[in-house]
Amino acid sequence: MTLTSKLAKMGLFDARVPRYTSYPTAPQFSVDTTGADTRSWITAIPPGSRISLYLHIPFCRRLCWFCACRTQGISNNGPVLAYLSTLKAELSLLADLLPADISLSRVHWGGGTPTLFEAAMIEDLAGSISDVAPLAPHGEFSVEVDPNEIDQSRVDALAAAGMTRASIGVQDFDVEIQTTIGRLQSFDVTRYAADMLRASGIKSLNTDILFGLPHQTTEKIAASVQKLLTLSPDRVALYGYAHVPWMARRQSLIPSDVLPTPEERLKLFETARQLFEWDGYRQIGIDHFAVPHDTLAVASKTGKLRRNFQGYTDEPAEVLIGLGASAISRFPQGYAQNNPSTSGYTKSIRTGELSTSRGHRFSEDDKLRGRLIEAIMCDFEVDIDDMVARFPNREAHIRALLGRAAAHFGDIVQLKEDRFQVLPDGHALARIIARHFDAYEMSSAGHVSAI
């Protein structure tokens, strides 16, 4: 049996599984978690802690058809200004709840298009964040940048605010593909944005590129990757395009008959992966690549890589607080998600209340299974001694879970006395193997292809 046939038999080409950026996954969140929980979890943060902040800006000048993120199109800056005011009010609520001497190890602005903010708005929001807590020494401030929606004044404002890392979405540079997915962004425009950022002192650059797009071939993705490599990004995320028009209605504008087959998707991924590795990048987890000196690569090599809602991170903080409509926070006690509706979110904040609309309180079993899943997704292995040290009264349960997984997945995994390993031939199945440790029932709705 060929490797491809073996992967197919294990479900790689037809399974629909979560990306496991959280455990439990967001579809398992419930309305039982409220603003009162979030408030108590914030006040329980130990004084002097380092935490992370994520700010969600859900606006775009134009809506790309491929995107399944929670965003809304705008024709003027009125909604953006109103939203900025609400974000500042939420930051003020947070400041009143946080214990003393908190600092920020990571700050990330995502969206949407955060660079819709004009220079004065960037300065205003950055100042409001600084009023809550300072960026810690060696902290990181990153922003998602749309090359079509950036200029020197905004770059200068971001640099002055202490931005250290930019994240640029590329998707693919092929014009036919860009036209089909509703995202026109030339290589020249992208290169100009990257050069402008670096010239302003923002040296670290992340990029995203997609495989599995309509009309995409191995030749086209190879050409796009080679162009991308001339930008010398520090990190690259190679995400699989998820075609879910039942969830993101604008994806119905993309004809499904020109999408690659699952087998073709695997070839597209392998083509891009080989090019990145030939250029000296290290593969990080299932879909990230980084230059060897990047902190993400160092974290991967030293066993400190973690999984969060942005994918992979080297962030050690136990608390991530999400601000803005639909933003998700993670605490040691559980998850809390803000109201996904901009109007609902605004109404809560304007009345002086946190906007938590749903979430999840962790059980001990959630924590155990979540750590197993994170280890598979990050390291392709589970250190059994480490698991037993974390959960000292659950050794028999841990070994039973790993034993059942070893029996199910056969020779693509290996179980030893001290560790469970996903062998290199099975790395493509990491999400399917992770699903084996998921205790929650789920339908395939809302989840995406395993490749």
Side-chain angles (χ1 to χ4, degrees):
M1 182 184 295
T2 66
L3 176 58
T4 300
S5 299
K6 184 184 292 186
L7 295 175
K9 187 176 180 180
M10 292 286 183
L12 181 64
F13 299 136
D14 51 25
R16 304 191 72 83
V17 288
R19 296 189 189 276
Y20 286 114
T21 54
S22 71
Y23 182 80
T25 57
Q28 306 302 331
F29 293 1
S30 78
V31 296
D32 293 339
T33 302
T34 67
D37 294 303
T38 307
R39 183 179 293 269
S40 69
W41 295 345
I42 293 172
T43 57
I45 298 170
S49 296
R50 292 187 176 194
I51 67 171
S52 289
L53 287 187
Y54 170 79
L55 286 83
H56 187 66
I57 293 88
F59 301 104
C60 294
R61 196 74 67 189
R62 52 175 174 43
L63 294 177
C64 304
W65 303 338
F66 74 91
C67 182
C69 297
R70 286 191 176 275
T71 57
Q72 57 194 86
I74 57 166
S75 57
N76 61 69
N77 275 353
V80 181
L81 285 165
Y83 187 80
L84 172 60
S85 177
T86 308
L87 270 180
K88 290 168 60 182
E90 187 178 19
L91 282 163
S92 180
L93 289 175
L94 176 61
D96 290 341
L97 295 173
L98 282 173
D101 301 322
I102 297 295
S103 60
L104 306 176
S105 56
R106 298 286 189 278
V107 177
H108 183 79
W109 298 5
T113 309
T115 50
L116 275 175
F117 284 175
E118 295 175 351
M121 298 164 69
I122 290 169
E123 182 180 353
D124 192 10
L125 180 57
S128 295
I129 294 170
S130 295
D131 290 342
V132 174
L135 193 65
H138 309 295
E140 185 173 283
F141 171 25
S142 56
V143 177
E144 294 173 15
V145 174
D146 180 353
N148 290 314
E149 192 68 48
I150 193 71
D151 56 28
Q152 190 63 59
S153 66
R154 283 177 276 188
V155 170
D156 289 343
L158 289 167
M163 178 176 165
T164 59
R165 184 179 294 275
S167 181
I168 293 179
V170 168
Q171 324 322 332
D172 194 291
F173 287 120
D174 181 82
V175 174
E176 181 183 26
I177 293 173
Q178 290 186 354
T179 301
T180 306
I181 66 174
R183 168 82 175 201
L184 292 174
Q185 178 184 312
S186 71
F187 173 70
D188 288 341
V189 165
T190 306
R191 180 177 57 189
Y192 180 77
D195 290 346
M196 183 166 45
L197 289 160
R198 284 182 167 142
S200 299
I202 303 166
K203 301 297 185 184
S204 296
L205 177 65
N206 297 1
T207 57
D208 299 347
I209 190 167
L210 297 181
F211 69 92
L213 291 169
H215 299 296
Q216 200 173 45
T217 63
T218 54
E219 292 78 15
K220 286 182 177 181
I221 199 170
S224 289
V225 168
Q226 288 167 337
K227 286 182 178 178
L228 180 62
L229 287 170
T230 67
L231 303 178
S232 300
D234 301 279
R235 302 176 186 174
V236 180
L238 176 60
Y239 292 132
Y241 166 62
H243 191 63
V244 287
W246 57 91
M247 290 177 59
R249 285 187 293 177
R250 55 183 176 263
Q251 288 188 351
S252 62
L253 297 169
I254 298 175
S256 59
D257 60 349
V258 293
L259 292 169
T261 65
E263 293 81 0
E264 289 168 340
R265 285 170 65 95
L266 179 60
K267 291 178 182 177
L268 291 166
F269 175 85
E270 286 298 319
T271 297
R273 180 189 64 79
Q274 289 176 7
L275 288 170
F276 288 127
E277 291 189 340
W278 288 343
D279 212 56
Y281 287 74
R282 286 175 51 91
Q283 184 170 351
I284 311 297
I286 62 170
D287 53 16
H288 280 50
F289 299 83
V291 294
H293 63 268
D294 184 84
T295 55
L296 201 65
V298 174
S300 176
K301 190 173 182 179
T302 56
K304 296 179 180 178
L305 190 66
R306 300 186 67 186
R307 193 88 170 135
N308 71 4
F309 292 104
Q310 279 108 53
Y312 289 103
T313 181
D314 58 337
E315 165 61 280
E318 290 297 320
V319 173
L320 166 66
I321 297 179
L323 304 172
S326 81
I328 300 176
S329 301
R330 187 193 192 284
F331 300 91
Q333 300 90 340
Y335 295 114
Q337 183 173 22
N338 277 353
N339 194 316
S341 160
T342 303
S343 60
Y345 157 75
T346 299
K347 182 179 179 181
S348 296
I349 300 300
R350 291 300 182 187
T351 56
E353 299 293 332
L354 297 177
S355 186
T356 304
S357 63
R358 63 184 195 135
H360 182 88
R361 298 183 192 92
F362 293 140
S363 68
E364 279 303 303
D365 194 56
D366 288 336
K367 295 176 183 179
L368 187 153
R369 290 173 181 269
R371 178 55 200 153
L372 287 172
I373 288 170
E374 184 177 51
I376 294 295
M377 296 295 294
C378 291
D379 306 318
F380 300 112
E381 70 173 35
V382 176
D383 182 329
I384 298 175
D385 292 339
D386 175 71
M387 285 296 301
V388 173
R390 290 170 185 258
F391 305 96
N393 300 318
R394 307 297 301 280
E395 180 173 2
H397 182 50
I398 291 165
R399 291 190 181 277
L401 288 172
L402 295 173
R404 287 196 289 271
H408 181 82
F409 291 103
D411 62 1
I412 66 167
V413 301
Q414 186 176 70
L415 179 60
K416 298 180 180 179
E417 179 65 22
D418 65 339
R419 67 190 58 248
F420 172 92
Q421 293 176 299
V422 181
L423 300 177
D425 283 352
H427 284 188
L429 295 171
R431 286 166 52 210
I432 292 176
I433 295 170
R435 171 65 181 91
H436 195 80
F437 298 105
D438 191 332
Y440 291 86
E441 291 295 324
M442 64 180 75
S443 70
S444 62
H447 300 306
V448 295
S449 170
I451 182 63

